[in-house]
Amino acid sequence: MSKIRLSPSRVNDFSNCPQLYKFRSIDQIPEPISLDAERGTLVHSVLEELFESPAPLRTLARALEILPTSWEAQIEAKPALHESEIDLKEWLDRAASLLTTYFSLEEPASFEPTSRELHLEMDLSEDIYLHGFIDRLDIADTGEVRIVDYKTGKAPKPGWEEKALFQLRIYALIYWRIHGVLPHRLQLMYLGDGQLLRSAPTSSQLENTEKKLLAVADEIFAALETGQWRPRPSRLCDWCSFKTICPAFTH
Ligand code: SF4
């Protein structure tokens, strides 16, 4: 059996709906542009570029200056964005508001990130390749490691925090396995409502994360063998680009 590639997004897809995972990862059916995802990409690229400036220049004014040029570069890299019906002023205003919220959560001039857009990868087993991109990794002088992820949406409702932290625990697991250092802090920054979700991962949490990943991989291998990819209808279907071809709705 060939190796499978897992990332937090693909694990999330399979956990939400195996049929969705199949459409995306096995059939690789192209999807229409998601403006929410594009907005996220824009804000991430502005923040990434901001950290390239010397610390004293990492101001909100500088971020807002970078914003239009980052958007132009994004359109150039993805010409299909020209077709999207975007009100440019409204679009840039919304991105500017998310960046303003970012500055209410931390002062980028006050620290030096160790890495941005860091690709982490490892073989979880002989037939499972696990990887992902960390938005930012900060290593303090004390050696403490912080993994940071920016979200342009709102913080999860009470009771859903663990699901949100699962993605960062996957990154923490890879980092721990590769470097032998247990990250000290996981931090999700929700720019949609100015909330922070923080967690100090423990070794047993990360071992549980590993067990969950192995269990998901087992289910994927079973589905690959049987060809049974169960659709799991939920509220997510309203946003799913495959609804018109999904067996849950076409049969
Ligand atoms: S429409 Fe719903 S059930 Fe079908 S693939 Fe998408 S998420 Fe799954």
Side-chain angles (χ1 to χ4, degrees):
M1 189 171 289
S2 60
K3 209 165 188 161
I4 57 167
R5 290 168 64 88
L6 286 186
S7 66
S9 320
R10 296 294 81 85
V11 171
N12 201 32
D13 284 348
F14 189 85
S15 307
N16 284 330
C17 172
Q19 178 68 64
L20 171 64
Y21 173 90
K22 177 178 184 283
F23 283 142
R24 270 201 184 130
S25 303
I26 310 290
D27 304 339
Q28 300 187 1
I29 300 175
E31 291 181 71
I33 283 178
S34 152
L35 288 183
D36 281 344
E38 294 300 328
R39 188 183 289 109
T41 304
L42 175 60
V43 170
H44 279 71
S45 54
V46 171
L47 290 176
E48 197 189 349
E49 196 177 330
L50 185 73
F51 277 105
E52 272 168 29
S53 307
L57 301 183
R58 293 179 204 144
T59 59
L60 175 59
R62 175 72 189 131
L64 298 182
E65 204 177 279
I66 297 169
L67 180 59
T69 27
S70 287
W71 178 234
E72 276 164 31
Q74 197 167 325
I75 296 179
E76 206 168 301
K78 198 184 261 190
L81 278 170
H82 281 295
E83 319 286 310
S84 307
E85 288 176 11
I86 292 176
D87 175 330
L88 185 61
K89 182 179 178 317
E90 200 179 284
W91 177 258
L92 293 180
D93 282 354
R94 177 69 189 133
S97 149
L98 293 166
L99 290 166
T100 306
T101 305
Y102 165 75
F103 276 82
S104 72
L105 295 174
E106 69 179 5
E107 287 178 34
S110 64
F111 64 95
E112 212 50 63
T114 308
S115 307
R116 286 163 283 126
E117 290 296 318
L118 177 67
H119 187 229
L120 288 182
E121 58 183 347
M122 68 179 269
D123 285 328
L124 192 60
S125 72
E126 253 179 31
D127 41 20
I128 308 167
Y129 167 77
L130 180 65
H131 78 122
F133 284 90
I134 297 183
D135 284 345
R136 207 179 77 214
L137 184 90
D138 305 328
I139 304 181
D141 293 342
T142 54
E144 288 176 344
V145 174
R146 178 170 67 175
I147 292 176
V148 179
D149 200 63
Y150 312 120
K151 301 286 184 199
T152 42
K154 293 182 178 172
K157 295 203 168 74
W160 291 88
E161 296 90 344
E162 287 300 297
K163 195 168 192 278
L165 284 166
F166 185 64
Q167 172 199 2
L168 263 60
R169 289 197 182 123
I170 294 177
Y171 299 145
L173 169 69
I174 304 178
Y175 191 89
W176 184 35
R177 291 283 185 248
I178 293 174
H179 298 282
V181 175
L182 188 70
H184 179 73
R185 172 69 55 92
L186 306 178
Q187 179 167 297
L188 283 158
M189 306 183 74
Y190 290 94
L191 310 187
D193 58 2
Q195 302 287 317
L196 287 178
L197 180 55
R198 290 178 169 138
S199 171
T202 63
S203 52
S204 67
Q205 276 174 343
L206 299 192
E207 279 157 4
N208 276 337
T209 301
E210 188 167 27
K211 280 184 201 149
K212 280 186 200 160
L213 289 170
L214 290 169
V216 169
D218 276 351
E219 286 187 53
I220 294 174
F221 282 126
L224 281 168
E225 226 170 280
T226 60
Q228 304 270 319
W229 302 90
R230 281 171 298 107
R232 191 176 294 149
S234 70
R235 287 171 59 196
L236 284 180
C237 300
D238 289 342
W239 292 278
C240 179
S241 30
F242 305 112
K243 196 171 176 182
T244 53
I245 54 166
C246 173
F249 294 91
T250 54
H251 285 178

